Amino acid sequence: MGDIVVAMGRAFGSLLHPRMLMLMIWPMAVAGLFWLVVAFFFGASTVQWVKNYLNTSAIAEWTSQWFSFAPVAAFLGWFALLVLFVPLVLITASLIIGIFGMTSMVNHVAERDYPALERKHGGSIAAMTVNALFALVVFLLLSLLSLPLWFVPLLWPMIPILLFAYFNQRMFRFDALAEHASREEMKALSAKHGRDMVLLAIVLSVIAHVPVVGFFTPVLAGLAFIHYCLDKLAILRKA
């Protein structure tokens, strides 16, 4: 846990650089605008689909003995749209950063904090893109499969956090090591520190759902994984 705290502290320090602040702004703006347009054109139909799904569910049939479930379904439909909007914006911004910003972020951190670390180029830009798209596809499939559980009060806060954590660790740990580690080193680090990387991703996912603070998370997540992974790579080589 101590290594995760150190990586987070270093990530916050790197976040203050003007280059990183610019990376924080434009991907979030693009992602937010994109999903606002999507919501404008498809939001009403999505809400209607959720309403129809809930109105034909076992819960609606059970509650119909006492009251009409239709108003509740309408409220939950709009609530689901709002709940989905924030993770989708964060995921899209993270995807943009993973494809277009991580190389710049890795170079920035490596030049300042790990200048002696040899670059073995275990992953290419094409491999980073494929990895990011694979993470996105799995994230979307898991989101669709788990959608009914989002209406369970005790589960819906946990499900977005775990899904976002999966996406972060799947994408950023590969991107953080692609420039410096060989393929064998990437496998060794994933095997040895995989659990800690998942824990780091969960911590970042929780932060992402804090109002306002979540605005910083996509870049912060990238920087945290870069610091954590490059530090562990340096230790691996010394050993």
Side-chain angles (χ1 to χ4, degrees):
M1 189 65 183
D3 293 340
I4 292 175
V5 174
V6 171
M8 292 289 294
R10 291 174 177 174
F12 274 110
S14 299
L15 190 65
L16 299 177
H17 194 277
R19 287 167 59 188
M20 300 300 103
L21 292 175
M22 280 302 299
L23 267 176
M24 182 184 69
I25 294 171
W26 74 263
M28 286 293 292
V30 171
L33 180 61
F34 172 78
W35 285 110
L36 281 174
V37 172
V38 171
F40 178 80
F41 286 104
F42 302 104
S45 59
T46 302
V47 170
Q48 187 61 45
W49 179 84
V50 174
K51 286 167 56 180
N52 293 338
Y53 174 82
L54 291 174
N55 281 325
T56 57
S57 66
I59 296 176
E61 184 177 348
W62 179 70
T63 57
S64 63
Q65 304 174 58
W66 299 280
F67 59 88
S68 173
F69 192 73
V72 178
F75 169 78
L76 290 175
W78 286 105
F79 180 74
L81 189 66
L82 178 63
V83 169
L84 285 171
F85 181 79
V86 174
L88 287 172
V89 170
L90 291 173
I91 287 293
T92 306
S94 297
L95 184 67
I96 293 171
I97 290 170
I99 295 175
F100 299 105
M102 277 296 283
T103 300
S104 174
M105 291 165 65
V106 168
N107 289 335
H108 172 76
V109 171
E111 289 168 4
R112 293 167 61 92
D113 299 296
Y114 308 93
L117 199 60
E118 181 186 354
R119 301 186 181 219
K120 295 188 177 181
H121 307 285
S124 63
I125 294 177
M128 292 168 64
T129 303
V130 170
N131 179 69
L133 293 176
F134 178 83
L136 177 64
V137 170
V138 174
F139 169 82
L140 293 175
L141 287 174
L142 291 175
S143 298
L144 289 173
L145 291 173
S146 63
L147 189 59
L149 300 177
W150 289 47
F151 298 99
V152 179
L154 295 179
L155 292 180
W156 78 259
M158 297 174 57
I159 293 173
I161 288 173
L162 293 176
L163 288 173
F164 193 44
Y166 163 78
F167 180 82
N168 273 344
Q169 64 85 26
R170 171 75 198 197
M171 183 173 67
F172 286 133
R173 73 177 180 181
F174 182 87
D175 293 356
L177 292 168
E179 181 73 14
H180 288 80
S182 65
R183 292 188 179 183
E184 291 73 20
E185 288 172 330
M186 293 170 74
K187 292 178 181 178
L189 289 171
S190 294
K192 186 174 182 180
H193 302 290
R195 290 184 180 179
D196 286 344
M197 291 180 189
V198 171
L199 181 58
L200 174 59
I202 292 174
V203 171
L204 290 163
S205 184
V206 172
I207 295 174
H209 288 81
V210 177
V212 181
V213 179
F215 180 77
F216 301 89
T217 308
V219 175
L220 178 65
L223 290 170
F225 270 91
I226 292 169
H227 277 288
Y228 182 88
C229 291
L230 293 188
D231 181 63
K232 294 303 179 185
L233 177 61
I235 293 172
L236 177 68
R237 288 181 180 174
K238 288 180 181 178

